[in-house]
């Protein structure tokens, strides 16, 4: 296809490719001596007196001492950055302080979590989770992949974070006023996704790309008819900042060829209004290893080029709003031929099975790493616009115009084996993860970034080895128009020997790199095991941009409506009312008792139970649990909540506070007595 | 009752008590300046060169520098200790490395967790969870309280860890070969528990104490009949080390008065064969604040003394095995009057609403802290035996003989406000958490410990403030016959200002104290936020005592039977078989494909699906998920697993590997096509 490919790609066949990967995996697995951490002390780091004795006793090198002092965050001092990391197939989000690398909170998103009272009775949370059910199937987990912080003018604003569920094709909205999930929406076109979530620079749109091709709406079709009946998609969810919710009825999707759309990024500044997604398996391999066909891993790795998808979002919005759409499961979809006819979709060749496309902070370049090609490929947005204006395209099988690679590429830089994902800093550098080496490469940007660094433009500067098998990387404010530099986290998929053995299922290893100094110094300064799930991507925000509530604004706050709950219970207003076989309870919680302490009902009653935590003190949360009925609530100061259940089982049930609230916390209890039917 | 009480207790009434607690809570809430961390550098800790510049830039004091160097654990080096912490109402266990204070793993116990494939289809895990269901109610969470490591000769042996679910009265067994939960048993007497789990010195018995009194088997009874119809209990579960399972049919319980039994501890060495549990609410308060009665917090705090329960376990086992029992829900229970008649139960007065009883490493003393009394009370086992032999008891309402306080107490030591829990070290010190101050007190033991320290016996030596509201504390090997000293963790219930604000629901704060030096030096050296749940207690084991598997012993290992699975699938043996409307699939997983990649079935089929991960490389785990059907598995190297479902919904479902396994992980997928019924 292109001469540069013949020159640069020495991985041409599946056999060679597979052998290489296995060889490197083996080498990694055997690196039991600890490997090179890439950590070098930047100068003298001797310590004296007791400190040196402590360091000596624990075998700390000068580089270790520096790393310790760069990361240790004493009691009561706060972290400078907060990382929001996907929780992978835990279904959650992790909130991690940096540079201390402590996980401060897990946010329950797709998986019920009892500590937060998420999905264990509390009405608001049950409704959020139900929003993600599919055709009546209760989905109680997710595979969270790519968190996106809300942006204003292309900068993180600290108001919301969004995340997708790859496993079931869903998107969630988390409000950073209380770090709680407020909404889950199900994609009507596809059961799975991958390229979500990403936001436009003012968070008007959330982008959810696809993954494995399937018939739209996942209707049955034989895989023998893959090219005719299966399709890809990208969905644009309209976000309403005022209500903090996705507006499903103002959202739309675009039908795409059944390539496997992967990750996306929104344009910014000069490229604002455009969206870029990569894809792989443009081979349209359909697997079938059991019948002697090449497995997907080989079949989807044959072409030297796949296609970056370039969308004119502004135009797509116009088309969607004009009603020039079809409906799939009641959701508006711009058909592929309409997208072509309306000139809102173009393809750009991209080598080879890439994982993501990343727009530079100035919006001028799109960086793609074909994971089976040793280069990063940098495309110019200006050249794309010129090529579009010039016309004269070739077209792919599905009629989509293809911009010529040589017309739009700015430069290619050889960075190493298995390049995946690129981040940016404030010094004119880009960073690319190299899964197979494994390491993080630093290279220079050109264009408007040229004056920020001393090295030649578009040049590899340094690689720091990481342990092991890095997927995504995340830099401080790294997806914004103004990255901060200083810190980068390497999200390593394998840990192997990095931590104490905890059995055959290992944690991931998040390694913190100090990228504060230019040039060839960027040591690993901390290893954080991730105890749960397999985070894929993260975004890192300056901590001072966040301003969560300490307690809810007023007594009786309903976190799911954002208003005072109509069933708020003030002290003295507690009561139990019966209406036929329906019993309704209005209860307060305060250190350290519930009122009422006795609830006497009958088997067969339907129970509606309201509780208000009337506390105003920071951290004075009360839990509330009922055995057998699988109820557990977390009621934060000021919160009003409701749950319902049918009293199917008779007996004596002691309810109690599950959050240790005072010295008399154990006495914060009461009895529900359910009298049996005759 | 006793003159010492009149002298020492200035908290006599509920009003005063409540006022005091609120005052202290308020003081804590307002301590926004960070407070005194109790951290003092033990001497010179200057650092030079870059290290000092880093420390200066980050505002680190000499004490901070020492703390950093004591805890920082460089990439690839391992922790010296592993802490197993309950996860509170997350329902799980946390595995934490020390001194780095990194959470290495979450172990799913009572709450389904998708990353570990626990409760998301995998047959073995579904059966474990089902073991904890109650009368047909699916319980999908727990309130884990007190983990207990298995012991041999009173020392942790690293083979198993056990934990209770306070919310639903259950006990779980985790095998430390693979850090997976193997069994959950439901207590047949009570819906809730608290005093579990604790083990006898050779792990023959697991102890599960009660909590809130209720009719045995939680049958309905009016709370007006509390003293007649409600009861307490302690349960002894027989553990079989060879099979790694609790033997329910060899276990038994003892009926107790409806006091609220709390925490227990097994005797050891001289007191081996005996068990000690504390209790509170011997007032038998029944609450009813809504009717003008004192709330439980006041009603249960009126008496100056509650009762330590002293059990002759050896004799109880004899009685249970002799069949001198009644049955509750088919479970053998030694009736209270039998327990008295057989002389296997005694009471000892203990001040005032205590939280736990802790046996000293030599087995000679039982330490109780009444949380509303400023002392720790130390009892002599020898004196108890003498008092029992001497006879001449008083009896409580339920006929249980009471040993006279003055006959059995060794000493009382004033330690401060709100004492809760005591741990031990290797230097002859004990440590008691003080919830209300809040701080950790160090005091000296007497008896066989006298020569280990320089201070006077039975004397308060030092207090280190902690932030904030400490519940339990855990010392390295602190519950064994030979504690290690060096480290102690203060499990603080409130965090308030310690970490970045993450909304109204805050993490807990585990503070690491360096207790290596004797005397008045025991600084806080690390603050660890707990991101999820509210851990109650922890045990800390030397890391070199653990020897988990890196991969399962052979290809086809079933972690729930401990044998090769009958449906192991070796490479080349993959197949799909149909028998009527039942479809059975035998699949392999290896980097990076599943075989088969196509599964074609019909709506209405019942599907049985076996997968073997044929990898032998450390960390080469594969996940397996199916959208819509709520399936997610974690299949570790060598593991064979099975799941089943009914194909109710037709369509196209892409299954894929959820654990990032190689550069071609995204290609590790396949299609299940479910053809609709006519």
């Amino acid at each position: 296809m292109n001469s540069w490919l013949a020159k640069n790609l020495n991985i041409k066949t599946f056999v060679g490719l597979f052998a290489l990967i296995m060889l490197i995996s083996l080498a990694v697995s055997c690196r039991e001596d600890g490997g090179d951490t890439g950590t070098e002390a930047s100068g003298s780091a001797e310590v004296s007196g007791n400190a040196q004795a402590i360091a000596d006793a624990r075998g700390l090198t000068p580089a270790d001492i520096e790393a310790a002092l760069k990361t240790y965050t004493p009691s009561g001092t706060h972290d400078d950055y907060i990382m929001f990391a996907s929780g992978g197939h835990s279904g959650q989000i992790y909130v991690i302080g940096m540079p201390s690398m402590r996980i401060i909170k897990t946010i329950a998103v797709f998986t019920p979590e009892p500590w937060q009272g998420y999905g264990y009775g509390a009405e608001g949370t049950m409704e959020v989770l139900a929003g993600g059910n599919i055709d009546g199937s209760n989905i109680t987990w997710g595979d969270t992949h790519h968190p996106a912080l809300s942006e204003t003018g292309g900068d993180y604003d600290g108001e919301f974070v969004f995340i997708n569920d790859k496993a079931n094709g869903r998107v969630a909205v988390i409000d950073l006023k209380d770090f709680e999930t407020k909404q889950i929406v199900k994609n009507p076109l596809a059961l799975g996704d991958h390229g979500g979530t990403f936001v436009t620079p003012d968070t008007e749109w959330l982008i959810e790309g696809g993954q494995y091709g399937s018939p739209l709406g996942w209707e049955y079709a034989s895989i023998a008819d893959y090219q005719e009946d299966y399709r890809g998609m990208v969905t644009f969810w309209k976000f309403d900042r005022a209500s903090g919710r996705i507006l499903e009825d103002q959202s739309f999707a675009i039908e795409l060829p059944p390539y496997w759309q992967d990750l996306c990024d929104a344009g910014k500044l000069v490229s604002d209004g455009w969206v870029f997604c990569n894809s792989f398996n443009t081979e349209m391999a359909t697997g079938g290893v059991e019948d002697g066909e090449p497995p997907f891993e080989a079949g989807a790795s044959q072409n030297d080029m796949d296609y970056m998808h370039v969308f004119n979002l502004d135009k797509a919005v116009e088309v969607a709003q004009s009603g020039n759409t079809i409906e799939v499961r009641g959701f508006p979809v711009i058909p592929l031929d309409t997208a072509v006819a309306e000139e809102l979709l173009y393809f750009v060749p991209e080598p080879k099975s890439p994982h993501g496309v990343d727009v530079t902070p100035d919006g001028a370049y799109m960086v793609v790493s074909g994971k089976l090609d040793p280069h990063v490929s940098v495309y110019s947005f200006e050249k794309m616009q010129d090529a579009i204006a010039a016309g004269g395209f070739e077209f792919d099988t599905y009629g989509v115009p293809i911009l010529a690679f040589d017309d739009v590429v700015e430069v290619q830089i050889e960075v190493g084996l298995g390049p995946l994902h690129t981040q940016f800093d404030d010094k004119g550098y880009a960073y690319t993860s190299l899964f197979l080496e494994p390491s993080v490469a630093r290279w220079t940007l050109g264009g408007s970034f040229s004056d920020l660094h001393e090295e030649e433009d578009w040049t590899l500067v340094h690689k720091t080895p990481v342990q092991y098998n890095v997927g995504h990387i995340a830099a401080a404010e790294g997806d914004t128009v103004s990255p901060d530099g200083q810190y980068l986290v390497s999200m390593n998929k394998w840990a192997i020997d990095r931590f104490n053995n905890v059995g055959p299922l290992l944690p991931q290893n998040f390694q913190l790199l100090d990228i504060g100094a230019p040039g060839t110094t960027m040591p690993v300064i901390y290893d954080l095991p991730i105890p749960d799930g397999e985070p894929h991507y993260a975004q890192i925000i300056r901590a001072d941009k966040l301003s969560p509530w300490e307690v809810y604004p007023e007594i009786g706050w309903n976190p799911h409506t954002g208003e005072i709950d109509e069933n708020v219970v003030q002290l003295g207003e507690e009561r139990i009312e019966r209406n036929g076989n329906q019993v309704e309870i209005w209860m307060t919680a305060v250190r350290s008792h519930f009122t009422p302490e006795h609830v006497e009902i009958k088997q067969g009653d339907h129970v509606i139970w309201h509780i208000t935590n009337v506390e105003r003190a920071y951290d004075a949360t009360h839990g509330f649990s009922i055995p057998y009925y699988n109820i557990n609530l977390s009621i934060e100061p000021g919160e009003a909540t409701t749950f319902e259940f049918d009293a199917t089982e008779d007996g004596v049930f002691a309810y109690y506070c599950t959050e240790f609230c005072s010295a008399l916390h154990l006495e914060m209890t009461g009895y529900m007595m359910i009298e049996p039917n005759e």
Side-chain angles (χ1 to χ4, degrees), chain A residues 277-292:
Chain A
C277 301
N278 75 298
S279 70
F280 62 114
N281 195 19
T282 53
E283 297 86 348
M284 295 188 282
T286 55
V289 63
E290 66 278 12
D291 297 320

Side-chain angles (χ1 to χ4, degrees), chain A residues 211-443:
Chain A
Q211 181 93 99
Y212 306 117
S214 84
L216 293 184
W218 61 91
E219 297 299 318
Y220 172 81
S222 169
I223 199 159
D225 301 321
Y226 187 84
Q227 298 194 20
E228 296 75 34
D229 291 346
Y230 285 47
R231 287 293 177 270
M233 68 87 189
V234 63
T235 299
F236 296 93
W237 295 103
K238 178 71 181 169
F239 183 67
D240 178 53
R241 194 184 289 265
S243 64
R245 298 295 185 274
I246 289 169
L247 304 180
E248 296 186 69
D249 62 359
Q250 296 184 34
S251 305
F252 68 96
I254 302 176
E255 178 190 16
L256 297 173
Y259 310 146
W260 292 355
Q261 287 79 31
D262 196 49
L263 297 174
C264 304
D265 201 1
K268 56 187 80 160
L269 301 174
V270 295
S271 54
D272 193 3
W274 291 72
V275 168
F276 312 89
C277 301
N278 75 298
S279 70
F280 62 114
N281 195 19
T282 53
E283 297 86 348
M284 295 188 282
T286 55
V289 63
E290 66 278 12
D291 297 320
E293 300 294 323
F296 280 111
E297 63 185 311
S301 305
Q302 295 175 64
N303 291 353
D304 289 333
M305 287 286 188
D306 293 291
Y307 292 126
M308 190 203 309
H309 296 31
V310 179
F311 300 94
N312 183 331
L313 175 58
D314 290 342
K315 199 172 276 186
V317 171
E318 275 175 38
V319 171
Q321 289 177 347
S322 75
N324 197 359
T325 53
I326 58 170
E327 292 218 333
V328 175
R329 291 178 175 257
F331 192 79
V333 179
I334 300 176
L336 182 51
D337 53 6
T338 304
V340 171
E342 296 284 349
E343 299 178 351
L344 60 85
L345 172 63
Y346 301 90
F347 284 167
V348 170
E350 51 177 7
K352 171 177 186 173
S353 296
H355 190 61
V357 47
D358 299 288
V359 177
T360 53
D362 62 357
Y365 303 103
M366 290 76 226
V367 180
V368 172
S369 304
K371 68 190 179 192
L372 304 180
D373 173 80
H375 300 81
V376 291
S377 301
V378 180
Y379 300 88
S380 157
F381 180 72
E382 190 180 352
K383 290 183 180 179
M384 285 186 201
Q385 295 301 304
D386 291 346
I388 290 170
F393 313 114
E394 292 189 18
F395 295 89
D396 102 314
T397 315
Y398 290 91
V400 181
I402 303 170
L403 310 187
F405 178 84
D406 291 333
D407 288 349
V408 295
V409 72
E410 180 75 22
V411 66
Q412 290 193 298
I413 306 155
E414 185 165 339
V415 288
L417 293 177
L420 287 181
H421 176 231
T422 295
Q423 285 277 277
F424 307 98
D425 74 4
D426 59 339
K427 292 177 283 294
Y429 294 131
Y431 301 81
T432 300
S433 55
L434 302 173
F435 181 87
L436 291 174
E437 301 213 357
S439 60
V440 175
R442 167 185 270 176
W443 49 277

Side-chain angles (χ1 to χ4, degrees), chain A residues 162-236:
Chain A
F162 312 97
I163 198 158
N164 69 315
D165 165 21
K166 168 169 169 163
N168 298 288
R170 304 180 297 174
V171 169
V173 178
I174 294 99
D175 193 329
L176 295 179
K177 274 292 178 204
D178 60 2
F179 284 55
E180 289 193 1
T181 302
K182 302 298 182 185
Q183 186 183 23
I184 297 176
V185 296
K186 170 73 198 97
N187 192 295
L189 275 68
L191 276 173
D193 65 32
H194 186 244
T197 53
F198 303 89
V199 300
T200 52
D202 285 306
T203 322
E204 293 166 319
W205 297 97
L206 312 184
I207 305 165
E208 182 190 16
Q211 181 93 99
Y212 306 117
S214 84
L216 293 184
W218 61 91
E219 297 299 318
Y220 172 81
S222 169
I223 199 159
D225 301 321
Y226 187 84
Q227 298 194 20
E228 296 75 34
D229 291 346
Y230 285 47
R231 287 293 177 270
M233 68 87 189
V234 63
T235 299
F236 296 93

